[in-house]
Amino acid sequence: MSLLCKLVPERCIACGLCQIEAPDIFDYDEEGIVLFAQEPEAHQQFVMPEEEAYVRKAYQKCPVRAILLENKM
């Protein structure tokens, strides 16, 4: 099973918690809104197994649910 991470930038309040938990995955645009570090234009990407724990922690810390997770077959 794969983990799909989706971003909802319009919910982001630029708190910085996701980048603290998963700095290799999440970054910010010039306004502080979340984006993927490796694919800034993407709004979803599959998470590598070795990164899942960090992404799940970032998801749990996000106060506005700007990060969504889905398990895919």
Side-chain angles (χ1 to χ4, degrees):
M1 193 173 324
S2 297
L3 184 65
L4 180 66
C5 181
K6 295 182 178 183
L7 299 180
V8 186
E10 55 272 10
R11 290 185 185 173
C12 182
I13 58 171
C15 69
L17 292 174
C18 60
Q19 191 181 37
I20 290 170
E21 296 298 335
D24 293 337
I25 306 298
F26 302 109
D27 201 0
Y28 299 96
D29 67 12
E30 63 278 348
E31 296 173 2
I33 303 302
V34 67
L35 50 79
F36 289 115
Q38 302 301 316
E39 295 182 75
E41 301 300 319
H43 288 287
Q44 64 182 20
Q45 71 179 29
F46 284 100
V47 178
M48 300 298 291
E50 62 271 14
E51 298 168 335
E52 279 190 28
Y54 301 106
V55 172
R56 287 186 188 281
K57 189 73 164 176
Y59 162 78
Q60 292 169 348
K61 294 278 185 168
C62 182
V64 294
R65 291 295 177 242
I67 300 169
L68 304 174
L69 299 179
E70 290 182 22
N71 289 313
K72 295 288 185 179
M73 293 288 202

